[in-house]
Amino acid sequence: MSLDPTKHADWEIAEEAETRMLTIYQIGEKLGLTKEELLPQGHYIGKIDFQKVLARLKDKPDGKYIDVTAISPTPLGEGKSTSSMGLVQGLGKRGKNVCAAIRQPSGGPTMNIKGSAAGGGLAQCIPLTPFSLGFTGDINAIMNAHNLAMVALTSRLQHERNYTDEQLERLSGMKRIDIDPTKIEMGWVMDYCCQALRNIIIGIDGVNGKSDGFMMKSKFGIAVSSEVMAILSVSKDLKDMRERMGKIVVAYTKKGKPVTTGDLEVAGAMTAWMVDALNPSLMQTLEGQPVIVHAGPFANIAIGQSSIIADRVGLKLADYHVTESGFGADIGFEKFWNLKCRYSGLVPDCAVIVATIRALKCHGGAPVPVPGKPMPEEYASENVEWVAKGCDNLIHHINTVRKAGISPVVCINAFYTDTDAEIAKVRELSEAAGAKVALSRHWEQGGDGALEFADAVIEACEEKTEFKFLYELDEPVKQRIEKVATTVYGADGVDYSAAAEEALKRIQGDPDLAGLGLCMVKTHLSLSDNPALKGTPKGWRLQIREVLTYGGAGFIVPVAGAISLMPGTGSNPAFRRVDVDVETGKVQGVF
């Protein structure tokens, strides 16, 4: 059939395209993998033996490194994954050897409101169903590894309660850790959005009054917020992963000493679950370019990047490698800039800022779109004034990218409802702010619609960068938080709760913790910590309510505002429209 995104759903487009997609062997050959480096998992997806690739190509120069970020999005998302796929397809149309690295989708948004992050329209990666529903099993491995740590912690709490020191050592050879049940750092994880599990009680007496655990308050987070996921994102190899896995702080003793997965003797078993997950996965765009998929942390509540391993592999195998950072430049790009690049040692050649007329209107005064409800009628008519006012948010993000010393390219991710006057205003204001600008119609036209976009990125990659970090790790933690808040978010300053102050005092006083990286947790829907404040808010202060320690990933994690590590499922979730054709077994409705 003739594929038309204005008439066909994403899953219908993917289903038709999958009838003629390349096999995983053809994609591997296109990427330049040897037979030993490609680990097929069926006909159309596989994994890559990254160690063999990096060893073989250790002396080959890296390709051009491109990060895709965005303005502050609406709750609907602004097509960053779609634009990443469009850029790859556009570069392919220009005859470039190109690949992408994207994150594995979480079951939470896939079954909720945002979809599976495969892209959309004629700029997608396929096969869509396996990609969206578990793929090669990495998130399952992360859940098993993470929850095993919680099993080790909760069983140890029970045994320390039930036995004397002498009994404990006689039965197991263990000495008492003396864990404080009121200072548990870690919770459980699952890969759905489930607000009912944000705060729970575990260990309630079971059948016939039997004590089935240590009764205490606990919690669930979404799997992609797990520190194990963050470790997958930043690990260099298996040795590095194993070392990091033993440094996860799960709780504190009654004297305030950190209790780690190493102390619980569970880190080795956790790593055993992750051995296969350390190899990145491989699939393709609708137009047959290679797409590497590895790790899947959200950017508002985690690091928000695909893995360092995926980028290292892509940069060795392709002349242009496109990676994606979650949400806006205040969130995902800031962590790409100050965390991922710091840990990887890689320097980007260009950063793309995706903008939509829809989001600019939202920041300029239009009603905020609500997922699952009809788009407000204000978005159906031209309003250049709203677009111009909303460009304040876009220009703020342009300036953030420029502060990193990187060439910004604004991609106007065009909707067919956008008007020429609205597009012209975005181009005018973006160019005045010093950014290259490209209009891209990849959603409607695939790679053919992304040629201007591809050309702008190629040109930007030839410009000299003066990459520099926002802060150094030897700066006091509070000083680093305030630099991010004032320089990247536009806050007037930072206020801390008593709990956050206590945690920062402890962290700053510990040389092993004080020099860790900074991974901020903040809403993605605003530059501020209040999702209702659109545009470029003025006269506000960032509110830090708590500060977590991710010792294995190497992060200090300040949590701002009311954001939760376990998102909620909305009133009109996507799972209502997902089903299976019982004759063919094909899944329908995933987007």
Side-chain angles (χ1 to χ4, degrees):
M1 67 179 180
S2 177
L3 299 177
D4 183 350
T6 66
K7 298 176 182 176
H8 300 118
D10 289 346
W11 68 267
E12 293 175 309
I13 293 170
E15 186 176 85
E16 198 281 333
E18 286 163 11
T19 63
R20 47 190 164 77
M21 63 181 163
L22 301 175
T23 67
I24 194 63
Y25 305 99
Q26 292 171 305
I27 286 293
E29 184 178 352
K30 199 168 187 176
L31 191 54
L33 297 173
T34 67
K35 183 183 290 186
E36 291 75 23
E37 293 163 356
L38 179 64
L39 309 171
Q41 297 200 2
H43 298 300
Y44 302 105
I45 62 175
K47 278 185 167 283
I48 299 170
D49 189 325
F50 77 95
Q51 294 189 86
K52 289 182 178 177
V53 172
L54 296 179
R56 175 171 64 88
L57 300 176
K58 64 181 185 298
D59 298 324
K60 183 178 180 291
D62 287 349
K64 298 294 186 181
Y65 193 24
I66 303 146
D67 182 58
V68 178
T69 185
I71 65 171
S72 301
T74 69
L76 305 176
E78 304 318 309
K80 198 163 58 281
S81 298
T82 305
S83 298
S84 296
M85 294 302 99
L87 176 58
V88 170
Q89 292 174 178
L91 288 167
K93 289 284 185 181
R94 288 299 192 212
K96 303 300 183 182
N97 175 20
V98 59
C99 78
I102 61 174
R103 292 167 293 161
Q104 180 181 347
S106 161
T110 297
M111 292 295 159
N112 194 12
I113 58 173
K114 282 199 69 181
S116 77
L122 297 187
Q124 297 186 47
C125 55
I126 52 175
L128 178 60
T129 294
F131 175 67
S132 306
L133 303 180
F135 204 32
T136 54
D138 292 357
I139 290 182
N140 184 64
I142 286 162
M143 288 191 290
N144 284 331
H146 179 112
N147 289 331
L148 182 59
M150 286 300 294
V151 169
L153 173 67
T154 52
S155 61
R156 185 62 172 262
L157 274 165
Q158 184 179 14
H159 296 151
E160 291 197 357
R161 179 193 62 184
N162 290 350
Y163 302 126
T164 64
D165 289 358
E166 180 185 0
Q167 290 172 319
L168 196 64
E169 189 157 3
R170 176 168 52 82
L171 291 169
S172 64
M174 297 187 300
K175 293 187 180 299
R176 184 177 298 276
I177 297 176
D178 209 20
I179 302 165
D180 186 343
T182 69
K183 293 185 178 178
I184 304 299
E185 187 91 347
M186 206 170 179
W188 309 84
V189 295
M190 65 182 295
D191 198 37
Y192 291 118
C193 300
C194 186
Q195 55 267 52
L197 295 178
R198 286 173 180 161
N199 297 285
I200 60 174
I201 299 294
I202 61 173
I204 299 171
D205 286 346
V207 177
N208 295 325
K210 182 181 178 182
S211 178
D212 286 334
F214 192 103
M215 191 165 74
M216 63 181 187
K217 183 179 179 180
S218 191
K219 60 188 176 182
F220 268 82
I222 194 165
V224 290
S225 72
S226 167
E227 186 173 353
V228 179
M229 176 65 89
I231 288 173
L232 180 61
S233 287
V234 301
S235 291
K236 295 181 178 67
D237 51 35
L238 185 57
K239 180 182 178 184
D240 185 30
M241 173 174 274
R242 176 61 182 85
E243 289 173 357
R244 290 176 179 277
M245 207 69 83
K247 296 177 182 179
I248 297 173
V249 177
V250 295
Y252 291 88
T253 67
K254 292 175 182 176
K255 292 183 178 180
K257 180 184 175 183
V259 179
T260 67
T261 42
D263 295 328
L264 295 174
E265 301 178 64
V266 71
M270 292 170 68
T271 309
W273 279 105
M274 295 297 297
V275 172
D276 288 340
L278 199 58
N279 283 319
S281 301
L282 182 63
M283 55 189 307
Q284 64 192 281
T285 70
L286 286 178
E287 297 179 7
Q289 289 86 20
V291 178
I292 301 171
V293 182
H294 205 208
F298 289 169
N300 54 349
I301 59 177
I303 188 174
Q305 317 293 320
S306 56
S307 73
I308 288 172
I309 287 173
D311 284 352
R312 290 175 64 203
V313 168
L315 287 166
K316 290 299 183 186
L317 291 168
D319 295 330
Y320 288 84
H321 176 67
V322 178
T323 196
E324 178 195 333
S325 298
F327 297 124
D330 57 321
I331 301 287
F333 175 79
E334 188 276 311
K335 294 171 185 178
F336 172 80
W337 168 20
N338 292 302
L339 277 176
K340 190 179 187 184
C341 290
R342 193 188 303 272
Y343 290 168
S344 70
L346 301 171
V347 176
D349 296 284
C350 166
V352 172
I353 304 171
V354 177
T356 62
I357 300 299
R358 176 178 71 189
L360 293 170
K361 285 182 175 178
C362 180
H363 287 293
V368 179
V370 178
K373 293 186 178 180
M375 184 66 69
E377 60 183 20
E378 288 87 344
Y379 289 88
S381 57
E382 180 177 277
N383 193 315
V384 178
E385 184 180 347
W386 274 344
V387 171
K389 187 177 178 183
C391 279
D392 286 350
N393 183 273
L394 170 57
I395 291 167
H396 184 97
H397 290 302
I398 290 172
N399 291 334
T400 294
V401 170
R402 289 167 65 86
K403 285 168 186 169
I406 304 172
S407 301
V409 173
V410 171
C411 169
I412 304 173
N413 177 23
F415 291 14
Y416 63 93
T417 54
D418 300 341
T419 71
D420 291 344
E422 291 170 335
I423 290 168
K425 180 56 68 174
V426 179
R427 191 183 293 275
E428 172 198 334
L429 295 175
S430 298
E431 289 176 345
K436 289 180 171 57
V437 185
L439 177 68
S440 191
R441 299 191 183 278
H442 45 264
W443 183 83
E444 283 184 86
Q445 302 169 17
D448 286 332
L451 296 179
E452 180 187 339
F453 184 15
D455 291 342
V457 167
I458 291 168
E459 184 180 340
C461 283
E462 296 307 315
E463 294 184 359
K464 184 179 179 181
T465 60
E466 298 178 356
F467 183 77
K468 55 187 179 295
F469 297 120
L470 178 63
Y471 55 77
E472 297 302 325
L473 295 183
D474 59 1
E475 294 180 33
V477 179
K478 270 193 172 182
Q479 183 174 309
R480 286 187 269 155
I481 293 171
E482 289 177 19
K483 276 189 177 181
V484 173
T486 57
T487 306
V488 179
Y489 304 160
D492 288 345
V494 184
D495 296 326
Y496 302 89
S497 71
E501 289 278 13
E502 181 183 351
L504 284 169
K505 183 178 179 180
R506 172 178 49 77
I507 290 167
Q508 196 63 59
D510 185 335
D512 292 333
L513 299 180
L516 296 181
L518 188 69
C519 187
M520 303 290 288
V521 172
K522 180 185 79 72
T523 179
H524 59 290
L525 297 173
S526 171
L527 284 166
S528 75
D529 53 13
N530 180 353
L533 298 181
K534 302 302 179 184
T536 309
K538 305 294 183 186
W540 65 280
R541 296 177 64 84
L542 187 72
Q543 304 296 314
I544 301 295
R545 75 169 194 261
E546 63 179 325
V547 181
L548 308 175
T549 303
Y550 282 14
F555 304 157
I556 298 160
V557 185
V559 182
I563 192 167
S564 172
L565 300 187
M566 171 55 87
T569 289
S571 58
N572 188 21
F575 64 69
R576 297 178 63 196
R577 294 168 287 281
V578 176
D579 210 331
V580 178
D581 185 320
V582 296
E583 299 297 327
T584 65
K586 290 185 176 180
V587 174
Q588 301 172 339
V590 171
F591 72 105

